């Protein structure tokens, strides 16, 4: 039986993965990718609902009043660096599988509602959900099952590497994912606050979303 403390951090991530699996299954059954664009809004809504319902359990999301400009500045810079890496680490050996992407166009006209939902979900919801799971829970849980007792600064190289590798395997751009996993993890370990990697992750995803719309590289979504 899964401990409630663990479950609170697994459930939003599991819901997100469930909808990814559902989308893949529907595509295999003949659905068109354009017909499934609405599924992203449903996925994000479910994740937000779970995060909100369990918000009182997330002690690691208490606002770090002691964090200063250096913490937030480092997070913003790291987020930009990961974005640059993400769009450039695309050699064949750095890619696993094939991403369907998310094309928000209808008859070559961009549906800005879809774009707004996609960017908002990627920049505001996904970073909180993923950092709660990958960094706060999984990385520290690998270090010790009583993960809430683990100071981020005390996470060892083994836990750091395993969590980063698993994070990489969850992305088609696995090499960029590995780089991002290490960067976000090190931010958490150095700053001691989960809001640091959340901010970096949000910056990466937000800039990536704007870049995708500006360049039409829909496959990165």
């Amino acid at each position: 039986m899964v401990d409630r403390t663990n479950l609170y951090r697994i459930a939003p991530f599991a819901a997100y993965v469930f909808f990814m699996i559902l989308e893949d299954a529907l595509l295999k059954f003949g659905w068109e990718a354009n017909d499934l664009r609405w599924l992203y809004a449903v996925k994000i809504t479910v994740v937000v609902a779970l995060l909100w319902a369990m918000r009182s359990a997330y002690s690691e999301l208490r606002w770090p009043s002691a964090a200063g400009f250096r913490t937030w500045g480092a997070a913003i810079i790291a987020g930009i660096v990961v974005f640059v890496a993400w769009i450039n680490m695309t050699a064949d050996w750095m890619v696993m599988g094939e991403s369907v992407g998310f094309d928000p166009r209808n008859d070559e006209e961009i549906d800005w509602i879809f774009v707004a939902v996609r960017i908002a979900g990627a920049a505001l919801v996904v970073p909180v959900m993923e950092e709660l799971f990958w960094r706060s829970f999984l990385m520290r849980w690998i270090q010790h099952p009583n993960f809430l007792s683990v100071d981020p600064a005390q996470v060892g190289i083994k836990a750091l590497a395993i969590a980063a590798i698993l994070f990489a395997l969850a992305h088609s751009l696995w090499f960029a994912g590995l780089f991002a996993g290490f960067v976000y993890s090190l931010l958490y370990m150095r700053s001691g606050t989960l809001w640091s990697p959340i901010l970096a992750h949000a910056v990466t995803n937000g800039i990536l979303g704007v870049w995708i719309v500006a360049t039409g590289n829909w496959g990165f979504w």
Side-chain angles (χ1 to χ4, degrees):
M1 185 174 180
V2 180
D3 183 274
R4 283 190 179 183
T5 304
N6 300 356
L7 181 62
Y8 292 148
R9 289 150 184 85
I10 296 172
F13 177 78
Y16 192 86
V17 171
F18 166 78
F19 279 101
M20 291 175 63
I21 295 172
L22 175 61
E23 182 177 6
D24 286 342
L26 292 175
L27 288 170
K28 289 179 180 178
F29 277 103
W31 287 61
E32 295 294 329
N34 283 347
D35 296 331
L36 297 176
R37 290 182 297 181
W38 55 270
L39 198 59
Y40 186 83
V42 176
K43 174 169 61 177
I44 289 299
T45 299
V46 170
V47 171
V48 168
L50 288 170
L51 289 171
W52 180 258
M54 297 181 288
R55 65 191 184 282
S56 62
Y58 302 137
S59 56
E60 61 270 60
L61 290 183
R62 294 193 187 104
W63 188 253
S65 57
F69 176 78
R70 291 183 64 179
T71 296
W72 308 127
I76 291 171
I77 292 171
I80 295 171
V81 170
V82 171
F83 158 71
V84 173
W86 201 272
I87 64 173
N88 285 285
M89 291 180 172
T90 57
D92 290 345
W93 65 272
M94 298 177 180
V95 181
M96 178 175 56
E98 185 176 352
S99 175
V100 175
F102 178 89
D103 190 337
R105 295 173 297 176
N106 288 318
D107 298 324
E108 299 304 316
E109 293 293 325
I110 293 177
D111 188 321
W112 291 104
I113 293 178
F114 276 122
V115 168
V117 170
R118 185 77 184 197
I119 292 179
L124 302 178
V125 180
V126 170
V128 176
M129 174 268 294
E130 287 205 332
E131 295 308 315
L132 275 170
F133 176 76
W134 292 109
R135 252 61 68 181
S136 179
F137 167 63
L138 186 63
M139 185 174 72
R140 291 196 293 168
W141 180 84
I142 294 170
Q143 185 69 29
H144 192 283
N146 183 14
F147 70 96
L148 286 177
S149 68
V150 177
D151 185 327
Q154 301 304 314
V155 170
I157 187 64
K158 177 182 176 181
L160 167 64
I162 292 175
I165 290 170
L166 292 175
F167 182 75
L169 295 177
H171 297 83
S172 59
L173 295 174
W174 70 267
F175 194 73
L178 183 65
F179 177 74
F182 274 109
V183 171
Y184 298 153
S185 295
L186 290 172
L187 279 173
Y188 184 36
M189 294 165 64
R190 183 175 178 82
S191 68
T193 172
L194 193 64
W195 283 108
S196 179
I198 287 174
L199 175 58
H201 204 150
V203 168
T204 299
N205 288 3
I207 297 177
L208 180 63
V210 173
W211 177 83
I212 289 170
V213 174
T215 62
N217 282 287
W218 312 116
F220 279 87
W221 258 346

